Each structure stands twice: as structure tokens, then as C-alpha cells.
Amino acid sequence: MWATIVKIFTPDNIKFMLQGVKISLLVAVLCTIFGTLLGIMIASCKISRSKFLNVIGNIYVELIRGTPMLLQLTFFYLGIPMIYQMITGKYMSVSAIMMGIIAISINSGAYSCELIRGAINSIDRGQWEAGKAIGLNHTQIMRKIILPQSFKRIIPSLANEFITLIKDSSLVSTIGVVDLMKTSTILGAKYYNYFFPMIGAAVIYLILTLITSQFTTRIERKLAESD
């Protein structure tokens, strides 16, 4: 057993897996950022006075949360180019990692939207009234008063979303992105042994999520102290 472990986890192979870690973290970070921005937009639609925007926001959230992320990822990577070719008759070359980031960001946006909407609704109604009293319109109240307070409340939740995305980023391996998960399967195929590379990947994922979890706990404590 030890001979197999030494054979698989050579310095070069460990370096190869760490390159996959960089891709996994890149996907998780970008999807957290884009998903949060998208979540703010959709949450604004759902609490808007416009019925049209309400409908758009609700359809988006229900559609994304009601379908598997793997299906969404496959649709963006395979379906979008196919639709483009059907419409234009031309072949469309896409970047696997770009499509992966787009698909996961859109998925994350639906969940971030509910977190943000809940935080916005938790702000005392008097804040809105105070904003109106000093002459601010709905958009200005949202941007200058409500969102800053809401963001403080959802930082721990967004950190937890980042932890989830670290793990969910492994799905991009299904469309050929060489992330941490993909590096473990490549090493497994190379040495005809998937067990140890998968265990190695699991340990790295666990380390990443534990570090992030500890960081989140510290943030929550600081926020509690500031309150």
C-alpha cells in the first residue's frame, strides 16, 4: 500500500494536483463574486414595486433552483453552442472554464438572491421611512442605506456559500476543466488506481473548507462584537 502511495504522490504529481487546486479556487472565488452581484440584481427585482420585475425574479429563482446544477452546466457548455449553430449555421468555440464559471455563477445567484432578499427584508421599515424623509428615492435608499446594512448581515452566509462553491466547483471537471477533481481522475487513470488520488483530493477539499470555515467563524465573531 505504502509503495503505491509513494508511487502516486510524487513531487510532480502533487504539483499537478496543486495546479488543479488553483483552478478550483479560481472558479469558487469568481462564482461567489458574480453570483453575489447577480443575487443583488435578482433580489432587487423580487422586492421591486414592478410586477414585471417580480415575475422575472421569481421565474429565475424557481427555474434555477428547480433544475440540477450539472444539467445547467452541460446546457451552457453543449447546448449554447448547439443553439448558436442552429441559428447562424456557424460553429461556436467556447471555453470550458468560462462556461463553467457562467453556469455556476447563475446557479449561485439564485441562492444568493434569497439570502440577500431575506437580509433586506430584515432591515427595520423605519430605515425606509427615514430615507424618504430626507428626500431619497427608492433606488437611493436601497443603495445608500439598505444594501450596506444588509451586506453586513449576509457576510457569514456568503462565506458559507463560498464553502459550498469550493465543493461544487468539482462539477466543472465533467466538461473537461482540469481542476482538483479532474487531476485526481487523471492520476487514477494513469496508475490504474483511483482510490488514493480520490482520497488525496478529498483531503485537500476538506482542508480548503475547514480553513474557510474557520475564517467565517472569525468574521461572525467580529461582526457580533461590532454590534
Side-chain angles (χ1 to χ4, degrees), residues 37-78:
L37 294 175
L38 186 57
I40 292 172
M41 292 172 58
I42 301 303
S44 298
C45 288
K46 293 194 70 173
I47 65 174
S48 171
R49 296 175 180 176
S50 168
K51 291 184 178 181
F52 175 74
L53 292 178
N54 289 161
V55 171
I56 294 297
N58 286 323
I59 290 176
Y60 172 85
V61 171
E62 295 304 324
L63 178 63
I64 297 301
R65 296 205 304 177
T67 54
M69 186 189 294
L70 182 57
L71 186 150
Q72 297 162 15
L73 188 64
T74 305
F75 173 78
F76 273 88
Y77 184 63
L78 299 177

Side-chain angles (χ1 to χ4, degrees), residues 185-201:
T185 58
I186 290 173
L187 291 177
K190 180 179 179 180
Y191 295 99
Y192 300 101
N193 186 318
Y194 287 91
F195 179 76
F196 291 115
M198 291 293 181
I199 291 295

Side-chain angles (χ1 to χ4, degrees), residues 24 166-167 170 179-181 201-209:
S24 294
I166 289 176
K167 296 177 289 183
S170 62
D179 67 331
L180 175 57
M181 184 67 185
V203 169
I204 295 173
Y205 277 120
L206 182 60
I207 291 172
L208 293 175
T209 55

Side-chain angles (χ1 to χ4, degrees), residues 5-197:
I5 293 175
V6 171
K7 181 181 178 181
I8 293 175
F9 294 105
T10 63
D12 286 341
N13 288 342
I14 292 175
K15 183 179 179 181
F16 178 57
M17 293 190 75
L18 290 178
Q19 289 174 345
V21 172
K22 292 180 182 179
I23 299 298
S24 294
L25 287 176
L26 175 65
V27 171
V29 169
L30 291 179
C31 289
T32 301
I33 294 172
F34 295 145
T36 301
L37 294 175
L38 186 57
I40 292 172
M41 292 172 58
I42 301 303
S44 298
C45 288
K46 293 194 70 173
I47 65 174
S48 171
R49 296 175 180 176
S50 168
K51 291 184 178 181
F52 175 74
L53 292 178
N54 289 161
V55 171
I56 294 297
N58 286 323
I59 290 176
Y60 172 85
V61 171
E62 295 304 324
L63 178 63
I64 297 301
R65 296 205 304 177
T67 54
M69 186 189 294
L70 182 57
L71 186 150
Q72 297 162 15
L73 188 64
T74 305
F75 173 78
F76 273 88
Y77 184 63
L78 299 177
I80 295 297
M82 186 176 296
I83 293 172
Y84 178 83
Q85 188 173 20
M86 289 170 60
I87 295 174
T88 66
K90 298 178 181 179
Y91 174 74
M92 179 184 182
S93 178
V94 297
S95 165
I97 188 169
M98 182 183 74
M99 286 301 182
I101 290 171
I102 291 173
I104 296 176
S105 296
I106 289 175
N107 183 279
S108 175
Y111 292 91
S112 297
C113 162
E114 293 304 297
L115 296 175
I116 294 166
R117 187 173 67 88
I120 291 174
N121 288 337
S122 70
I123 302 298
D124 188 85
R125 193 66 193 174
Q127 299 284 338
W128 290 91
E129 301 302 328
K132 291 177 182 178
I134 60 175
L136 299 179
N137 59 36
H138 182 85
T139 302
Q140 290 173 327
I141 294 172
M142 178 67 72
R143 181 167 54 87
K144 296 181 178 181
I145 300 176
I146 304 301
L147 284 180
Q149 295 182 66
S150 300
F151 186 72
K152 181 179 178 181
R153 297 187 180 187
I154 63 170
I155 286 177
S157 298
L158 291 179
N160 288 327
E161 177 68 8
F162 177 64
I163 292 174
T164 300
L165 288 176
I166 289 176
K167 296 177 289 183
D168 288 346
S169 68
S170 62
L171 289 174
V172 298
S173 65
T174 61
I175 58 174
V177 178
V178 186
D179 67 331
L180 175 57
M181 184 67 185
K182 190 68 173 181
T183 59
S184 67
T185 58
I186 290 173
L187 291 177
K190 180 179 179 180
Y191 295 99
Y192 300 101
N193 186 318
Y194 287 91
F195 179 76
F196 291 115

